[in-house]
Each structure stands twice: as C-alpha cells, then as structure tokens.
C-alpha cells in the first residue's frame, strides 16, 4: 500500500506537468484567432471555458500558455543542471583560499533577485523568450553552483572519497564517478523547487508588464489582461491562475517527495 501511495505521489504531479506541457496538442481552437462576434462567451461545446474580450478560445490559450511557460522552465532546468553542476564540481575541489574567495563572490551574486537580471537583460535585448530564459537561468545557475560547490566540499572530506584518492583514482573519476551520483538527489530536489519558482517568476513578470514579447501566449499575460473583467467574467482570471497553481504545487510535491526519499540538507 505504501508503495502504491508513494508511486502516486510521483505519478500525479508528473502527469499534471506533462499535461500542461503537451496539452496544446489537444487545443480545440486556434489560440490566436480573433472573432469579435464571439467575445466573452460563456462555456459551450465550441469553447469549453468560454472566450476572452477578443473572442479567442480561453482553453486553447491556456494550453498554449502552458507550453510556452513550461518550455522555458524545462529548458532552463537543463541549463541549470549542466552548467551549475559542472562549475560547482570544479569550484568545490579547489584550495581553501580560493574557495573562500569564490564563496564570497557567489554569496554576493546570488543575493541579487532574478527581476534585477531580467531588467538588465530587457534593457539590452528587449522583451522576448530568450531574454526571460537567460535572466532566470543566470539567477538559478548561480545558486546551483553554490549548492553543488558546498556539497562537493562536504563529499571530499568523506571516507569513500579519501579511499578512492588513496587507491589512485584520478580527480575526474572521483568527481564524476564517486561524487556526482551522491549529488543527484540534491540536484533534482533543487530543480523541482526552482521549477515552481520559475513559473511564478515568468507569470509575475508578465503580469507587471515584463512580458515575453508580442503575440506570445503565457499565463501571466492572460491574468493581467483579465483584470478589467474580473468581476463580470471571473473565469478569465481564475482558469489561468488555476493552471499556475497546479503546476507550482506539482513541482513542490515532487521536491518534497525527493526530500522524503533521503536525507537532504539543502
């Protein structure tokens, strides 16, 4: 029974995230199609969640918005894992004096909030999906580097690593064969929690006007554009917010399950 419960604890949030990512394949209508004669319709067979003020299918736009948002999250997560782990491993094996210097630098740059990076990059490159990806991945990669560096330093002091070094194992073998497997759980835990944070950041930035660009559909823009209709048509804001909530909770549940699966000290 516990195995079934534990399996569902992973399967349900993964299924929610997967549906939000590939749900655009099942969109009933073109999300960009404008039909002013069908604006603000109530849910019906053709428009399961109704339409917005431009006569666009709300469900289709939500599904395409999920693809946009989660594409950024998944691509950014891959970059964070690869770059953060490589640099963290390299810095974690350094000498004590150099480690103190790099630790000071990392403490300084990780204190900068993601919105500061986004404002800097938007001023240079303008609103776009690549700008959002770079801003979020830079902020999270720096935090990943700090995490992996600290964990690598801890692992280097353990007996199994000292035995591997004493037996003649090369530094690269020690890092990638002995240490990396012991860091995977912490890495995935960090990425899961960061996934929810990235969704909230993307939606929040879009809500305050730092959008992904013209004609790009995302949940934050949908919530922002529905503000003027919230009392007359609450569904315009409720449904995108529900999908945001479901995805963030799913990522957090996955992170919690990984934490419960082993002793994590992030």
């Amino acid at each position: 029974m516990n195995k079934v419960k534990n399996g569902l604890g992973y399967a349900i949030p993964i299924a929610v995230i997967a549906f939000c990512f590939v749900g655009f394949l099942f969109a009933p209508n073109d999300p960009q199609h404008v039909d002013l004669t069908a604006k603000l319709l109530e849910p019906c067979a053709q428009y399961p969640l109704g339409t917005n003020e431009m006569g666009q299918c709300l469900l289709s736009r939500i599904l395409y918005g999920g693809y946009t948002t989660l594409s950024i999250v998944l691509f950014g997560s891959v970059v964070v894992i690869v770059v953060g782990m490589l640099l963290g491993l390299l810095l974690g094996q350094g000498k004590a004096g150099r480690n103190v210097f790099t630790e000071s630098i990392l403490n300084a740059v990780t204190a900068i909030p993601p919105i500061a990076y986004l404002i800097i990059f938007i001023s240079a490159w303008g609103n776009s999906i690549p700008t959002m990806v770079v801003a979020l991945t830079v902020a999270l990669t720096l935090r990943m580097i700090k995490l992996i560096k600290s964990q690598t330093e801890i692992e280097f002091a353990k007996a199994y690593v000292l035995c591997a070094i004493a037996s003649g194992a090369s530094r690269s073998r020690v890092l990638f064969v002995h240490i990396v497997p012991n860091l995977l759980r912490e890495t995935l835990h960090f990425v899961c929690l960061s996934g929810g944070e990235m969704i909230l950041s993307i939606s929040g930035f879009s809500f305050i006007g730092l959008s992904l660009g013209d004609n790009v559909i995302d949940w934050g823009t949908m919530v922002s554009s529905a503000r003027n209709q919230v009392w007359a048509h609450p569904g315009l804001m409720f449904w995108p917010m529900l999908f945001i909530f479901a995805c963030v909770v799913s990522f957090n549940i996955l992170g919690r399950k990984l934490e419960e699966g082993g002793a994590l000290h992030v």
Side-chain angles (χ1 to χ4, degrees):
M1 188 66 180
N2 288 334
K3 290 183 178 180
V4 174
K5 184 179 179 181
N6 187 57
L8 289 175
Y10 285 102
I12 292 175
I14 290 175
V16 170
I17 295 169
F19 173 75
C20 291
F21 182 57
V22 302
F24 74 100
L25 297 173
F26 309 100
N29 298 283
D30 180 357
Q32 299 286 16
H33 177 68
V34 176
D35 183 3
L36 294 178
T37 63
K39 66 179 182 178
L40 299 175
L41 291 180
E42 295 297 320
C44 59
Q46 184 177 0
Y47 304 108
L49 295 182
T51 60
N52 63 10
E53 67 279 3
M54 300 297 292
Q56 297 167 315
C57 177
L58 183 59
L59 176 59
S60 298
R61 291 182 66 81
I62 289 174
L63 295 177
Y64 271 84
Y67 173 71
T68 301
T69 301
L70 289 177
S71 293
I72 295 173
V73 171
L74 296 177
F75 177 79
S77 297
V78 172
V79 174
V80 169
I81 290 174
V82 174
V83 178
M85 180 164 281
L86 287 175
L87 293 180
L89 288 169
L90 293 175
L91 293 175
Q93 62 167 338
K95 296 180 180 180
R98 188 172 63 184
N99 281 350
V100 171
F101 176 75
T102 55
E103 185 73 25
S104 301
I105 297 297
L106 286 173
N107 287 336
V109 294
T110 53
I112 302 173
I115 191 170
Y117 291 106
L118 184 61
I119 292 173
I120 293 171
F121 293 133
I122 284 179
S123 64
W125 301 331
N127 289 17
S128 65
I129 292 178
T131 302
M132 182 69 74
V133 171
V134 171
L136 291 177
T137 53
V138 166
L140 292 174
T141 298
L142 291 170
R143 286 158 56 184
M144 174 66 88
I145 292 172
K146 183 178 178 180
L147 169 66
I148 298 299
K149 174 183 174 297
S150 299
Q151 293 296 322
T152 301
E153 291 171 348
I154 293 172
E155 295 297 317
F156 256 106
K158 292 184 177 179
Y160 78 94
V161 173
L162 297 177
C163 290
I165 294 173
S167 66
S170 64
R171 186 56 63 95
S172 60
R173 180 177 177 82
V174 170
L175 287 174
F176 296 103
V177 176
H178 297 285
I179 292 180
V180 167
N182 291 297
L183 300 182
L184 289 179
R185 188 180 293 275
E186 284 87 349
T187 301
L188 293 176
H189 177 259
F190 176 86
V191 168
C192 286
L193 296 182
S194 298
E197 181 181 345
M198 290 174 74
I199 292 173
L200 290 176
S201 296
I202 294 167
S203 302
F205 293 154
S206 295
F207 181 80
I208 63 175
L210 301 176
S211 64
L212 301 175
D214 298 333
N215 299 321
V216 177
I217 303 170
D218 72 280
W219 292 331
T221 301
M222 294 180 67
V223 173
S224 180
S225 63
R227 286 180 296 178
N228 296 330
Q229 305 287 342
V230 64
W231 298 113
H233 302 278
L236 295 177
M237 182 176 286
F238 171 76
W239 291 112
M241 291 179 64
L242 179 62
F243 274 72
I244 293 172
F245 175 80
C247 279
V248 172
V249 169
S250 295
F251 274 111
N252 286 339
I253 290 175
L254 287 176
R256 178 60 64 182
K257 294 298 292 184
L258 286 169
E259 186 176 16
E260 292 173 353
L264 289 181
H265 303 285
V266 180

